[in-house]
Amino acid sequence: MRFGIIANLDKKKVQTVLPDFLEKLYSEGIPAVITEEVASQYLLHPDYFKVYSRNELGDHCDMVISFGGDGTLLGAAKDVNASGVPILGVNVGRFGFLTEISVQELYEKLADLIAGNYQIEDRMTLQITVVKNLNKFSYFAFNDLVLEKGSYTRTILIETYINEEYLNTYNADGLLVCTPTGSTAYSLSAGGPLLAPDMAAIVITPICPHSLSQRPLVISDDKIVKFKAWSEKREMILSVDGQSVLQITEDHLIQVRRAGKSVKLVKCSGYSFYHVLRTKLNWGEPPKKYYE
């Protein structure tokens, strides 16, 4: 087993725990490769840890370990997904819905990981294509894409189609399209439904719609969502997995479909999705008096 290490070095706690983990790998002779960012931060045993860019890392390891929060894992998924390598998220952030285990649990599970005692969970992803005249831009989303009005105070109009059939023109602050994995992120805050991660579905969630009748919609994963938007200010913002990527005008057409590749997440904590829901969302325990 050769590990690939990706880390969010902007987090002080990551800067504290990562050198100790790298030292453990070195002292026990466990092969690992690291990103250029990690190599520039730490000068531990430079002859032992091979260094690659984030886009190359997945081709040189059997498993990527991501140190940080959910945002770090989303970035890792984008960088290494072409390689098909599985990713283990180590929560060194605040909430950690996607990150599987804590730093302490990583040490406890290390022998199991090396021995192959873990499961792989496939998570669907989205392919986004933005077309303007003869220009075409493509993006990959693990969680979601969001079209927002930006700094302008008024709502925008978003003309939306499923395949080629007109659905609705949303009058809202924006529109969000997400995977089942992304249903626990921004979509949840915007009033969207929670979906189990093994579902094959796409969620369309309007953000602060002007009409209460404009509700979130769940569609099957074989559909293509298309939309165009209009704003009095003309310029809107398209974000993918929390990163702003493009300014949008009424001349852009945005198409969203299921991507051909899934993200492979390492599962070794023994916790189910429903356990994570109860824990992260502070859902209560059943009243004991009914079971006594």
Side-chain angles (χ1 to χ4, degrees), residues 1 3 62-66 73 84-90 98-101 106 109 112-114 116-123 142 263-271:
M1 173 65 73
F3 295 111
D62 304 300
M63 178 188 298
V64 167
I65 302 179
S66 167
L73 192 147
V85 68
I87 307 169
L88 173 65
V90 179
L98 291 176
T99 44
E100 170 76 356
I101 57 176
L106 174 62
K109 299 288 185 179
D112 285 336
L113 294 173
I114 294 172
N117 296 328
Y118 56 86
Q119 293 77 45
I120 297 293
E121 188 172 270
D122 285 328
R123 299 287 187 96
F142 185 15
V263 169
K264 300 181 183 300
L265 292 186
V266 175
K267 308 296 291 184
C268 62
S269 67
Y271 299 139

Side-chain angles (χ1 to χ4, degrees), residues 246-266:
L246 196 64
Q247 285 192 329
I248 298 295
T249 70
E250 60 192 63
D251 299 320
H252 289 89
L253 172 66
I254 302 168
Q255 303 179 60
V256 188
R257 68 180 71 201
R258 179 169 184 165
K261 276 197 171 185
S262 61
V263 169
K264 300 181 183 300
L265 292 186
V266 175

Side-chain angles (χ1 to χ4, degrees), residues 55-77:
N55 292 328
E56 298 174 322
L57 192 76
D59 295 322
H60 300 277
C61 62
D62 304 300
M63 178 188 298
V64 167
I65 302 179
S66 167
F67 286 83
D70 286 351
T72 308
L73 192 147
L74 290 173

Side-chain angles (χ1 to χ4, degrees), residues 71-282:
T72 308
L73 192 147
L74 290 173
K78 176 176 69 68
D79 291 332
V80 306
N81 192 53
S83 68
V85 68
I87 307 169
L88 173 65
V90 179
N91 185 24
V92 198
R94 292 174 296 175
F95 195 66
F97 214 107
L98 291 176
T99 44
E100 170 76 356
I101 57 176
S102 67
V103 174
Q104 180 58 41
E105 289 171 324
L106 174 62
Y107 283 97
E108 296 170 358
K109 299 288 185 179
L110 189 57
D112 285 336
L113 294 173
I114 294 172
N117 296 328
Y118 56 86
Q119 293 77 45
I120 297 293
E121 188 172 270
D122 285 328
R123 299 287 187 96
M124 69 167 280
T125 60
L126 298 175
Q127 175 186 330
I128 303 109
T129 304
V130 183
V131 181
K132 180 182 179 182
N133 300 326
L134 298 178
N135 297 315
K136 183 181 292 188
F137 309 91
S138 295
Y139 305 97
F140 159 91
F142 185 15
N143 257 2
D144 53 37
L145 74 147
V146 181
L147 176 68
E148 292 186 293
K149 62 185 179 61
S151 60
Y152 193 49
T153 56
R154 296 190 179 183
T155 57
I156 59 178
L157 299 176
I158 309 159
E159 185 179 314
T160 307
Y161 294 79
I162 305 298
N163 289 347
E164 300 301 328
E165 182 176 353
Y166 173 71
L167 173 66
N168 183 39
T169 298
Y170 294 98
N171 183 4
D173 282 355
L175 190 69
L176 186 153
V177 182
C178 74
T179 64
T181 299
S183 72
T184 60
Y186 190 1
S187 178
L188 178 62
S189 301
L194 284 168
L195 271 63
D198 56 354
M199 292 185 66
I202 297 172
V203 182
I204 303 171
T205 305
I207 302 169
C208 297
H210 188 263
S211 170
L212 292 177
S213 66
Q214 298 184 343
R215 309 303 302 164
L217 175 66
V218 180
I219 61 175
S220 61
D221 69 326
D222 61 347
K223 299 294 191 293
I224 301 174
V225 183
K226 299 181 180 181
F227 54 93
K228 295 174 69 74
W230 180 86
S231 168
E232 289 185 17
K233 193 179 179 182
R234 287 187 55 82
E235 290 187 350
M236 296 151 280
I237 300 297
L238 180 69
S239 301
V240 178
D241 283 347
Q243 302 296 315
S244 296
V245 294
L246 196 64
Q247 285 192 329
I248 298 295
T249 70
E250 60 192 63
D251 299 320
H252 289 89
L253 172 66
I254 302 168
Q255 303 179 60
V256 188
R257 68 180 71 201
R258 179 169 184 165
K261 276 197 171 185
S262 61
V263 169
K264 300 181 183 300
L265 292 186
V266 175
K267 308 296 291 184
C268 62
S269 67
Y271 299 139
S272 70
F273 171 71
Y274 308 105
H275 173 88
V276 174
L277 283 183
R278 291 194 304 271
T279 303
K280 300 296 183 180
L281 301 183
N282 296 317

